[in-house]
């Protein structure tokens, strides 16, 4: 178990914010995790588990211990004619896992290409893109209790998945460290191509194959979303809001072009990016923080921003969407620190 003290968090959050942590522990094996939580005395609490740091907004130095799961094995656990169960250690880079699965010809993850972060974080916020959510393929999640080091396996139902949500953001928030995620993939892929521009992008590439679906998603994401390696960001900063059918109907009278989709809850899901764009925010800057010029849902760090600056910008955006549309946007990123 490798322990670092008083370390910059810059490379551990995709916003590239330069705060410090008192202690960082690198966890390479399940045994190390179990031993850490059984003994509890290596480093100061609170604990914060980071799986890629692609959904975090630090606003202060972290006065506790950052835990970095670094178990990085991919295992084929079981296989029959059509299904293959694979497991990925929490520290497996997500896009490398997607790339590997496509290379092997296993279907299920391809629409989730190029999402930043690690496999262990994927069930936490039930990552989703281009008509697929990771819950569609998760079989179970193996986790260690932070309280006593015991191991629990969460079935798909136990995970209580919802839009960008799960039990790990709800009643079990902060209580478990995910060490391994099991995914049920298929050797006879059924491609999901009905999301917006996906089909057109695939046609440009030629045949409708697993490989081309991945490539099309990569092309779309690269054209719209900034690469965190080049410009700090955390993907979608806000969730897409769900409103009542009556509210959506009224909105359509004033804005016939509003993107609106039926939500399984019975409500209507609106595109937060569109709402923000309509308020004139696309490409705008306040201090060193800004709104991406190709996708208004993404806030960016132009280099020297603080977390508080990004927070302030997000408050201004929430205010203007509230004033113009009467809709309350909710942040998708997790804020760590005072505001
Ligand atoms: N739109 C605008 N202006 C903008 C942004 C979007 O008018 O600045 C419009 C688009 O033209 C489109 C609609 O809003 O009609 C929806 O936009 P898009 O298809 O780009 O998807 P999204 O709803 O903005 C969601 C996810 C993304 C995911 C994409 C693709 C959320 C909060 N975001 O974005 O997830 O990649 O769909 O499936 O659900 C992430 O979570 O980090 C993320 C990037």
């Amino acid at each position: 178990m490798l322990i670092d003290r008083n370390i910059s968090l810059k490379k551990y959050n995709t916003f590239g914010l330069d705060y410090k942590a008192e202690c960082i522990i690198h966890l390479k094996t399940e045994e190390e995790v179990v031993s850490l939580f059984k003994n509890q005395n290596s480093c100061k609490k609170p604990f914060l588990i980071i799986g890629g740091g692609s959904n975090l907004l630090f606003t202060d130095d972290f006065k506790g211990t950052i835990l970095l799961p670094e178990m990085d094995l991919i295992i084929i656990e079981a296989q029959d004619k059509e299904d293959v169960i694979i497991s990925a250690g929490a520290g497996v880079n997500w896009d490398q896992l997607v790339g590997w699965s496509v290379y092997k010809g296993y279907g299920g993850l391809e629409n989730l290409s190029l999402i930043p972060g690690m496999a262990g974080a994927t069930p936490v916020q039930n990552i989703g893109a281009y008509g697929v959510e990771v819950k569609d393929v998760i079989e179970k999640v193996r986790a260690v209790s932070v309280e006593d080091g015991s191991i629990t396996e969460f079935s798909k139902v136990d995970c209580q998945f919802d839009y960008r949500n799960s039990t790990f953001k709800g009643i079990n928030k902060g209580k478990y460290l995910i060490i391994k995620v099991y995914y049920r993939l298929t050797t006879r892929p059924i491609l999901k191509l009905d999301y917006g521009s996906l089909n057109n992008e695939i046609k440009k590439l030629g045949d409708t194959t697993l490989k081309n679906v991945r490539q099309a998603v990569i092309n779309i994401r690269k054209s719209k979303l900034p690469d965190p390696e080049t410009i700090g960001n955390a993907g979608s900063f806000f969730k897409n809001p769900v409103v009542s059918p009556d509210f959506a109907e009224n909105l359509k009278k004033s804005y016939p072009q509003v993107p609106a989709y039926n939500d399984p809850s019975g409500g209507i899901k609106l595109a937060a990016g569109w709402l923000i764009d309509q308020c004139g925010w696309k490409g705008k800057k306040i201090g060193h923080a800004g709104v991406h010029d190709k996708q208004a849902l993404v806030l960016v760090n132009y280099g020297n921003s603080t977390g508080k600056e990004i927070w302030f910008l997000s408050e201004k955006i929430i205010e203007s969407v509230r004033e113009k549309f009467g809709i309350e946007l909710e942040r998708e990123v997790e804020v760590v620190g005072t505001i």
Side-chain angles (χ1 to χ4, degrees), residues 243-300:
V243 298
S244 71
D246 287 349
F247 189 99
E249 209 41 59
N250 265 332
L251 193 65
K252 265 195 183 151
K253 284 181 195 148
S254 320
Y255 303 93
Q257 76 284 29
V258 58
Y261 318 92
N262 289 329
D263 188 66
S265 66
I268 305 292
K269 188 176 275 186
L270 304 175
W274 183 88
L275 297 168
I276 298 166
D277 198 356
Q278 292 295 306
C279 294
W281 280 105
K282 207 185 242 176
K284 288 268 162 69
K285 246 177 147 176
I286 300 186
H288 300 98
V291 179
H292 187 51
D293 56 2
K294 298 198 190 77
Q295 165 57 288
L297 194 52
V298 178
L299 303 193
V300 296

Short mmCIF file of all heavy atoms in Angstrom, two decimals, residues 243-300:
data_model
loop_
_atom_site.label_atom_id
_atom_site.label_comp_id
_atom_site.label_asym_id
_atom_site.label_seq_id
_atom_site.Cartn_x
_atom_site.Cartn_y
_atom_site.Cartn_z
N VAL A 243 -39.26 17.56 -16.51
CA VAL A 243 -40.40 18.42 -16.14
C VAL A 243 -41.71 17.66 -16.41
O VAL A 243 -41.70 16.59 -17.04
CB VAL A 243 -40.38 19.76 -16.94
CG1 VAL A 243 -39.13 20.55 -16.62
CG2 VAL A 243 -40.48 19.49 -18.45
N SER A 244 -42.82 18.21 -15.96
CA SER A 244 -44.11 17.54 -16.18
C SER A 244 -44.52 17.71 -17.65
O SER A 244 -44.10 18.67 -18.32
CB SER A 244 -45.18 18.15 -15.28
OG SER A 244 -45.48 19.44 -15.75
N PRO A 245 -45.36 16.80 -18.17
CA PRO A 245 -45.82 16.94 -19.56
C PRO A 245 -46.50 18.29 -19.81
O PRO A 245 -46.32 18.89 -20.87
CB PRO A 245 -46.80 15.77 -19.73
CG PRO A 245 -46.35 14.75 -18.73
CD PRO A 245 -45.82 15.53 -17.56
N ASP A 246 -47.26 18.80 -18.82
CA ASP A 246 -47.95 20.09 -18.99
C ASP A 246 -46.94 21.23 -19.15
O ASP A 246 -47.09 22.10 -20.01
CB ASP A 246 -48.84 20.41 -17.77
CG ASP A 246 -50.07 19.53 -17.77
OD1 ASP A 246 -50.32 18.86 -18.81
OD2 ASP A 246 -50.78 19.51 -16.73
N PHE A 247 -45.92 21.17 -18.29
CA PHE A 247 -44.88 22.21 -18.34
C PHE A 247 -44.21 22.20 -19.72
O PHE A 247 -44.00 23.23 -20.35
CB PHE A 247 -43.85 21.96 -17.23
CG PHE A 247 -42.86 23.07 -17.06
CD1 PHE A 247 -43.02 24.01 -16.05
CD2 PHE A 247 -41.76 23.18 -17.91
CE1 PHE A 247 -42.11 25.06 -15.90
CE2 PHE A 247 -40.85 24.22 -17.76
CZ PHE A 247 -41.02 25.15 -16.76
N ALA A 248 -43.88 20.98 -20.19
CA ALA A 248 -43.19 20.85 -21.48
C ALA A 248 -44.08 21.35 -22.62
O ALA A 248 -43.61 22.01 -23.55
CB ALA A 248 -42.80 19.38 -21.70
N GLU A 249 -45.36 21.04 -22.52
CA GLU A 249 -46.33 21.48 -23.54
C GLU A 249 -46.34 23.00 -23.65
O GLU A 249 -46.29 23.58 -24.74
CB GLU A 249 -47.72 20.94 -23.13
CG GLU A 249 -48.67 20.66 -24.27
CD GLU A 249 -48.00 20.00 -25.47
OE1 GLU A 249 -47.41 18.90 -25.35
OE2 GLU A 249 -48.05 20.64 -26.55
N ASN A 250 -46.40 23.66 -22.49
CA ASN A 250 -46.38 25.13 -22.45
C ASN A 250 -45.10 25.71 -23.02
O ASN A 250 -45.14 26.69 -23.77
CB ASN A 250 -46.50 25.61 -20.99
CG ASN A 250 -47.96 25.90 -20.67
OD1 ASN A 250 -48.73 26.25 -21.56
ND2 ASN A 250 -48.31 25.73 -19.41
N LEU A 251 -43.99 25.07 -22.65
CA LEU A 251 -42.68 25.53 -23.12
C LEU A 251 -42.61 25.45 -24.65
O LEU A 251 -42.08 26.35 -25.31
CB LEU A 251 -41.59 24.65 -22.48
CG LEU A 251 -40.16 25.12 -22.57
CD1 LEU A 251 -39.97 26.42 -21.80
CD2 LEU A 251 -39.20 24.06 -22.00
N LYS A 252 -43.20 24.38 -25.19
CA LYS A 252 -43.18 24.18 -26.65
C LYS A 252 -43.91 25.29 -27.39
O LYS A 252 -43.58 25.60 -28.54
CB LYS A 252 -43.80 22.83 -27.00
CG LYS A 252 -42.77 21.76 -27.14
CD LYS A 252 -43.30 20.53 -27.83
CE LYS A 252 -42.19 19.49 -27.85
NZ LYS A 252 -42.67 18.15 -27.84
N LYS A 253 -44.93 25.88 -26.72
CA LYS A 253 -45.68 26.98 -27.37
C LYS A 253 -44.75 28.15 -27.63
O LYS A 253 -44.83 28.79 -28.67
CB LYS A 253 -46.86 27.40 -26.47
CG LYS A 253 -48.00 26.39 -26.53
CD LYS A 253 -49.16 26.82 -25.66
CE LYS A 253 -50.10 25.63 -25.47
NZ LYS A 253 -50.76 25.66 -24.17
N SER A 254 -43.86 28.45 -26.66
CA SER A 254 -42.93 29.57 -26.86
C SER A 254 -41.68 29.15 -27.62
O SER A 254 -41.07 29.94 -28.32
CB SER A 254 -42.49 30.17 -25.53
OG SER A 254 -43.54 30.23 -24.63
N TYR A 255 -41.27 27.89 -27.44
CA TYR A 255 -40.03 27.41 -28.08
C TYR A 255 -40.31 26.08 -28.79
O TYR A 255 -40.00 25.00 -28.27
CB TYR A 255 -38.92 27.18 -27.03
CG TYR A 255 -38.58 28.40 -26.21
CD1 TYR A 255 -39.21 28.64 -24.99
CD2 TYR A 255 -37.64 29.32 -26.67
CE1 TYR A 255 -38.90 29.76 -24.24
CE2 TYR A 255 -37.33 30.45 -25.92
CZ TYR A 255 -37.97 30.65 -24.70
OH TYR A 255 -37.66 31.77 -23.97
N PRO A 256 -40.90 26.13 -29.97
CA PRO A 256 -41.29 24.88 -30.65
C PRO A 256 -40.11 23.93 -30.89
O PRO A 256 -40.30 22.73 -31.01
CB PRO A 256 -41.86 25.37 -31.99
CG PRO A 256 -42.09 26.83 -31.83
CD PRO A 256 -41.20 27.33 -30.74
N GLN A 257 -38.90 24.48 -30.94
CA GLN A 257 -37.73 23.63 -31.26
C GLN A 257 -37.08 23.00 -30.04
O GLN A 257 -36.04 22.36 -30.15
CB GLN A 257 -36.71 24.45 -32.08
CG GLN A 257 -35.88 25.46 -31.29
CD GLN A 257 -36.63 26.74 -30.90
OE1 GLN A 257 -37.85 26.76 -30.71
NE2 GLN A 257 -35.90 27.84 -30.75
N VAL A 258 -37.68 23.15 -28.84
CA VAL A 258 -37.03 22.64 -27.63
C VAL A 258 -36.83 21.12 -27.70
O VAL A 258 -37.76 20.37 -27.97
CB VAL A 258 -37.84 23.03 -26.34
CG1 VAL A 258 -39.26 22.52 -26.38
CG2 VAL A 258 -37.15 22.51 -25.08
N PRO A 259 -35.58 20.64 -27.51
CA PRO A 259 -35.38 19.18 -27.53
C PRO A 259 -36.03 18.56 -26.28
O PRO A 259 -35.72 18.96 -25.16
CB PRO A 259 -33.86 19.00 -27.47
CG PRO A 259 -33.26 20.36 -27.68
CD PRO A 259 -34.30 21.36 -27.30
N ALA A 260 -36.93 17.63 -26.48
CA ALA A 260 -37.68 17.04 -25.35
C ALA A 260 -37.89 15.56 -25.62
O ALA A 260 -38.23 15.17 -26.73
CB ALA A 260 -39.02 17.75 -25.21
N TYR A 261 -37.65 14.74 -24.61
CA TYR A 261 -37.75 13.29 -24.77
C TYR A 261 -38.62 12.72 -23.65
O TYR A 261 -38.59 13.20 -22.52
CB TYR A 261 -36.36 12.64 -24.68
CG TYR A 261 -35.27 13.40 -25.41
CD1 TYR A 261 -34.49 14.36 -24.76
CD2 TYR A 261 -35.05 13.19 -26.77
CE1 TYR A 261 -33.51 15.09 -25.44
CE2 TYR A 261 -34.07 13.91 -27.45
CZ TYR A 261 -33.31 14.85 -26.78
OH TYR A 261 -32.34 15.56 -27.46
N ASN A 262 -39.37 11.64 -23.96
CA ASN A 262 -40.15 11.00 -22.90
C ASN A 262 -39.19 10.33 -21.91
O ASN A 262 -38.27 9.64 -22.31
CB ASN A 262 -41.07 9.93 -23.49
CG ASN A 262 -42.20 10.58 -24.26
OD1 ASN A 262 -42.64 11.68 -23.92
ND2 ASN A 262 -42.67 9.91 -25.31
N ASP A 263 -39.46 10.55 -20.63
CA ASP A 263 -38.64 9.92 -19.60
C ASP A 263 -39.41 8.74 -19.02
O ASP A 263 -40.64 8.81 -18.90
CB ASP A 263 -38.36 10.97 -18.50
CG ASP A 263 -37.36 10.47 -17.49
OD1 ASP A 263 -36.20 10.28 -17.88
OD2 ASP A 263 -37.73 10.25 -16.31
N PRO A 264 -38.70 7.67 -18.65
CA PRO A 264 -39.42 6.51 -18.08
C PRO A 264 -40.26 6.87 -16.85
O PRO A 264 -41.24 6.18 -16.53
CB PRO A 264 -38.30 5.55 -17.67
CG PRO A 264 -37.10 5.99 -18.41
CD PRO A 264 -37.27 7.41 -18.79
N SER A 265 -39.93 7.97 -16.17
CA SER A 265 -40.69 8.38 -14.98
C SER A 265 -42.08 8.89 -15.34
O SER A 265 -42.91 9.13 -14.47
CB SER A 265 -39.94 9.50 -14.26
OG SER A 265 -39.91 10.65 -15.10
N GLY A 266 -42.34 9.13 -16.64
CA GLY A 266 -43.63 9.70 -17.06
C GLY A 266 -43.49 11.19 -17.34
O GLY A 266 -44.37 11.81 -17.94
N GLY A 267 -42.38 11.78 -16.92
CA GLY A 267 -42.13 13.20 -17.21
C GLY A 267 -41.46 13.39 -18.56
O GLY A 267 -41.33 12.45 -19.34
N ILE A 268 -41.05 14.63 -18.82
CA ILE A 268 -40.37 14.94 -20.08
C ILE A 268 -38.97 15.44 -19.77
O ILE A 268 -38.80 16.37 -18.97
CB ILE A 268 -41.15 16.04 -20.87
CG1 ILE A 268 -42.62 15.64 -21.08
CG2 ILE A 268 -40.45 16.38 -22.19
CD1 ILE A 268 -42.85 14.48 -22.03
N LYS A 269 -38.00 14.80 -20.40
CA LYS A 269 -36.61 15.21 -20.16
C LYS A 269 -36.22 16.28 -21.18
O LYS A 269 -36.44 16.11 -22.38
CB LYS A 269 -35.68 14.00 -20.27
CG LYS A 269 -34.28 14.33 -19.85
CD LYS A 269 -33.37 13.12 -19.85
CE LYS A 269 -33.47 12.34 -18.57
NZ LYS A 269 -32.51 11.24 -18.48
N LEU A 270 -35.66 17.38 -20.66
CA LEU A 270 -35.21 18.46 -21.54
C LEU A 270 -33.69 18.45 -21.57
O LEU A 270 -33.05 17.92 -20.67
CB LEU A 270 -35.71 19.81 -21.00
CG LEU A 270 -37.22 19.93 -20.80
CD1 LEU A 270 -37.55 21.28 -20.15
CD2 LEU A 270 -37.97 19.81 -22.13
N ALA A 271 -33.11 19.07 -22.61
CA ALA A 271 -31.64 19.11 -22.71
C ALA A 271 -31.12 20.34 -21.98
O ALA A 271 -31.35 21.47 -22.42
CB ALA A 271 -31.23 19.14 -24.18
N ALA A 272 -30.41 20.11 -20.87
CA ALA A 272 -29.86 21.23 -20.09
C ALA A 272 -28.95 22.09 -20.98
O ALA A 272 -28.95 23.32 -20.88
CB ALA A 272 -29.10 20.71 -18.89
N GLY A 273 -28.19 21.42 -21.87
CA GLY A 273 -27.27 22.15 -22.76
C GLY A 273 -28.03 23.14 -23.62
O GLY A 273 -27.58 24.28 -23.84
N TRP A 274 -29.18 22.74 -24.11
CA TRP A 274 -29.99 23.62 -24.96
C TRP A 274 -30.49 24.82 -24.14
O TRP A 274 -30.44 25.98 -24.60
CB TRP A 274 -31.17 22.83 -25.55
CG TRP A 274 -32.02 23.62 -26.49
CD1 TRP A 274 -31.83 23.77 -27.83
CD2 TRP A 274 -33.19 24.38 -26.15
NE1 TRP A 274 -32.80 24.59 -28.35
CE2 TRP A 274 -33.65 24.97 -27.34
CE3 TRP A 274 -33.88 24.61 -24.97
CZ2 TRP A 274 -34.78 25.78 -27.39
CZ3 TRP A 274 -35.00 25.42 -25.00
CH2 TRP A 274 -35.45 26.00 -26.19
N LEU A 275 -30.98 24.55 -22.92
CA LEU A 275 -31.51 25.63 -22.07
C LEU A 275 -30.42 26.66 -21.79
O LEU A 275 -30.64 27.87 -21.87
CB LEU A 275 -32.03 25.05 -20.74
CG LEU A 275 -33.21 24.07 -20.81
CD1 LEU A 275 -33.42 23.37 -19.47
CD2 LEU A 275 -34.50 24.79 -21.22
N ILE A 276 -29.21 26.15 -21.48
CA ILE A 276 -28.08 27.04 -21.14
C ILE A 276 -27.67 27.85 -22.38
O ILE A 276 -27.42 29.05 -22.32
CB ILE A 276 -26.89 26.21 -20.59
CG1 ILE A 276 -27.31 25.49 -19.29
CG2 ILE A 276 -25.68 27.09 -20.34
CD1 ILE A 276 -26.35 24.40 -18.84
N ASP A 277 -27.65 27.14 -23.51
CA ASP A 277 -27.32 27.75 -24.80
C ASP A 277 -28.29 28.90 -25.11
O ASP A 277 -27.88 30.01 -25.49
CB ASP A 277 -27.44 26.65 -25.86
CG ASP A 277 -26.73 26.98 -27.15
OD1 ASP A 277 -26.21 28.10 -27.25
OD2 ASP A 277 -26.72 26.12 -28.05
N GLN A 278 -29.59 28.66 -24.89
CA GLN A 278 -30.62 29.68 -25.14
C GLN A 278 -30.43 30.92 -24.27
O GLN A 278 -30.87 32.01 -24.61
CB GLN A 278 -32.02 29.11 -24.88
CG GLN A 278 -32.46 28.05 -25.84
CD GLN A 278 -32.62 28.61 -27.25
OE1 GLN A 278 -33.33 29.58 -27.47
NE2 GLN A 278 -31.95 27.99 -28.20
N CYS A 279 -29.81 30.72 -23.10
CA CYS A 279 -29.55 31.87 -22.22
C CYS A 279 -28.28 32.61 -22.64
O CYS A 279 -27.85 33.55 -21.98
CB CYS A 279 -29.42 31.41 -20.77
SG CYS A 279 -30.94 30.76 -20.07
N GLY A 280 -27.66 32.17 -23.72
CA GLY A 280 -26.52 32.89 -24.30
C GLY A 280 -25.18 32.57 -23.67
O GLY A 280 -24.22 33.33 -23.83
N TRP A 281 -25.07 31.45 -22.99
CA TRP A 281 -23.85 31.16 -22.25
C TRP A 281 -22.74 30.49 -23.08
O TRP A 281 -21.58 30.47 -22.67
CB TRP A 281 -24.15 30.23 -21.06
CG TRP A 281 -24.72 30.94 -19.88
CD1 TRP A 281 -26.01 30.94 -19.46
CD2 TRP A 281 -24.00 31.77 -18.95
NE1 TRP A 281 -26.16 31.72 -18.34
CE2 TRP A 281 -24.92 32.24 -18.00
CE3 TRP A 281 -22.67 32.18 -18.83
CZ2 TRP A 281 -24.56 33.07 -16.95
CZ3 TRP A 281 -22.30 33.00 -17.78
CH2 TRP A 281 -23.25 33.44 -16.86
N LYS A 282 -23.09 29.88 -24.19
CA LYS A 282 -22.08 29.10 -24.92
C LYS A 282 -20.84 29.95 -25.23
O LYS A 282 -20.98 31.06 -25.77
CB LYS A 282 -22.70 28.57 -26.22
CG LYS A 282 -22.06 27.31 -26.71
CD LYS A 282 -22.62 26.92 -28.04
CE LYS A 282 -23.31 25.60 -28.01
NZ LYS A 282 -23.93 25.27 -29.28
N GLY A 283 -19.67 29.46 -24.88
CA GLY A 283 -18.42 30.18 -25.17
C GLY A 283 -18.12 31.33 -24.22
O GLY A 283 -17.09 31.99 -24.37
N LYS A 284 -19.01 31.60 -23.24
CA LYS A 284 -18.77 32.73 -22.31
C LYS A 284 -17.76 32.35 -21.24
O LYS A 284 -17.60 31.18 -20.88
CB LYS A 284 -20.09 33.12 -21.62
CG LYS A 284 -21.07 33.83 -22.54
CD LYS A 284 -20.88 35.34 -22.45
CE LYS A 284 -21.51 36.06 -23.63
NZ LYS A 284 -22.96 36.01 -23.63
N LYS A 285 -17.11 33.38 -20.69
CA LYS A 285 -16.07 33.19 -19.66
C LYS A 285 -16.34 34.10 -18.48
O LYS A 285 -16.77 35.24 -18.68
CB LYS A 285 -14.74 33.65 -20.28
CG LYS A 285 -13.71 32.59 -20.48
CD LYS A 285 -12.51 33.22 -21.16
CE LYS A 285 -11.24 32.57 -20.70
NZ LYS A 285 -10.07 33.07 -21.41
N ILE A 286 -16.11 33.59 -17.27
CA ILE A 286 -16.05 34.49 -16.11
C ILE A 286 -14.73 34.15 -15.42
O ILE A 286 -14.53 33.02 -14.95
CB ILE A 286 -17.22 34.28 -15.11
CG1 ILE A 286 -18.58 34.52 -15.77
CG2 ILE A 286 -17.04 35.20 -13.91
CD1 ILE A 286 -19.77 34.47 -14.80
N GLY A 287 -13.83 35.10 -15.37
CA GLY A 287 -12.49 34.82 -14.82
C GLY A 287 -11.82 33.75 -15.66
O GLY A 287 -11.77 33.85 -16.89
N HIS A 288 -11.34 32.71 -15.00
CA HIS A 288 -10.65 31.63 -15.72
C HIS A 288 -11.56 30.45 -16.01
O HIS A 288 -11.11 29.40 -16.47
CB HIS A 288 -9.45 31.15 -14.92
CG HIS A 288 -8.45 32.22 -14.66
ND1 HIS A 288 -8.38 32.90 -13.48
CD2 HIS A 288 -7.48 32.75 -15.45
CE1 HIS A 288 -7.42 33.80 -13.54
NE2 HIS A 288 -6.85 33.73 -14.73
N ALA A 289 -12.84 30.58 -15.67
CA ALA A 289 -13.78 29.49 -15.91
C ALA A 289 -14.69 29.86 -17.08
O ALA A 289 -14.94 31.04 -17.33
CB ALA A 289 -14.63 29.24 -14.66
N GLY A 290 -15.16 28.87 -17.81
CA GLY A 290 -15.99 29.19 -18.96
C GLY A 290 -16.97 28.08 -19.33
O GLY A 290 -16.95 26.99 -18.75
N VAL A 291 -17.80 28.41 -20.31
CA VAL A 291 -18.77 27.45 -20.85
C VAL A 291 -18.22 27.02 -22.21
O VAL A 291 -17.87 27.87 -23.04
CB VAL A 291 -20.16 28.12 -21.01
CG1 VAL A 291 -21.17 27.14 -21.60
CG2 VAL A 291 -20.64 28.66 -19.67
N HIS A 292 -18.12 25.72 -22.42
CA HIS A 292 -17.51 25.22 -23.66
C HIS A 292 -18.23 25.78 -24.89
O HIS A 292 -19.45 25.93 -24.88
CB HIS A 292 -17.57 23.68 -23.66
CG HIS A 292 -16.82 23.05 -24.78
ND1 HIS A 292 -15.53 23.36 -25.09
CD2 HIS A 292 -17.20 22.12 -25.68
CE1 HIS A 292 -15.14 22.66 -26.13
NE2 HIS A 292 -16.15 21.89 -26.51
N ASP A 293 -17.47 26.07 -25.93
CA ASP A 293 -18.10 26.74 -27.09
C ASP A 293 -18.84 25.78 -28.03
O ASP A 293 -19.54 26.22 -28.94
CB ASP A 293 -17.07 27.57 -27.86
CG ASP A 293 -15.88 26.75 -28.31
OD1 ASP A 293 -15.87 25.52 -28.05
OD2 ASP A 293 -14.96 27.32 -28.93
N LYS A 294 -18.72 24.47 -27.82
CA LYS A 294 -19.45 23.53 -28.68
C LYS A 294 -20.54 22.78 -27.93
O LYS A 294 -21.37 22.10 -28.55
CB LYS A 294 -18.48 22.52 -29.30
CG LYS A 294 -17.45 23.16 -30.19
CD LYS A 294 -16.82 22.11 -31.10
CE LYS A 294 -15.63 22.66 -31.84
NZ LYS A 294 -14.42 22.79 -31.01
N GLN A 295 -20.53 22.83 -26.60
CA GLN A 295 -21.52 22.09 -25.80
C GLN A 295 -21.70 22.85 -24.48
O GLN A 295 -20.82 22.81 -23.62
CB GLN A 295 -21.02 20.64 -25.59
CG GLN A 295 -21.69 19.81 -24.52
CD GLN A 295 -23.19 19.65 -24.69
OE1 GLN A 295 -23.95 20.59 -24.46
NE2 GLN A 295 -23.63 18.46 -25.05
N ALA A 296 -22.84 23.53 -24.37
CA ALA A 296 -23.05 24.43 -23.23
C ALA A 296 -23.21 23.71 -21.90
O ALA A 296 -23.20 24.33 -20.84
CB ALA A 296 -24.27 25.32 -23.52
N LEU A 297 -23.34 22.39 -21.95
CA LEU A 297 -23.51 21.60 -20.72
C LEU A 297 -22.18 21.39 -20.00
O LEU A 297 -22.14 20.92 -18.86
CB LEU A 297 -24.09 20.24 -21.15
CG LEU A 297 -24.68 19.30 -20.14
CD1 LEU A 297 -25.71 20.00 -19.29
CD2 LEU A 297 -25.33 18.12 -20.86
N VAL A 298 -21.10 21.74 -20.68
CA VAL A 298 -19.76 21.45 -20.15
C VAL A 298 -19.08 22.75 -19.71
O VAL A 298 -18.94 23.68 -20.49
CB VAL A 298 -18.90 20.76 -21.24
CG1 VAL A 298 -17.49 20.49 -20.74
CG2 VAL A 298 -19.55 19.46 -21.68
N LEU A 299 -18.69 22.80 -18.43
CA LEU A 299 -17.93 23.95 -17.94
C LEU A 299 -16.44 23.59 -18.00
O LEU A 299 -16.07 22.44 -17.78
CB LEU A 299 -18.33 24.30 -16.51
CG LEU A 299 -19.82 24.61 -16.29
CD1 LEU A 299 -20.04 25.24 -14.92
CD2 LEU A 299 -20.38 25.50 -17.38
N VAL A 300 -15.62 24.61 -18.31
CA VAL A 300 -14.20 24.32 -18.49
C VAL A 300 -13.31 25.23 -17.64
O VAL A 300 -13.69 26.34 -17.29
CB VAL A 300 -13.77 24.44 -19.99
CG1 VAL A 300 -14.47 23.40 -20.84
CG2 VAL A 300 -14.04 25.82 -20.53
#
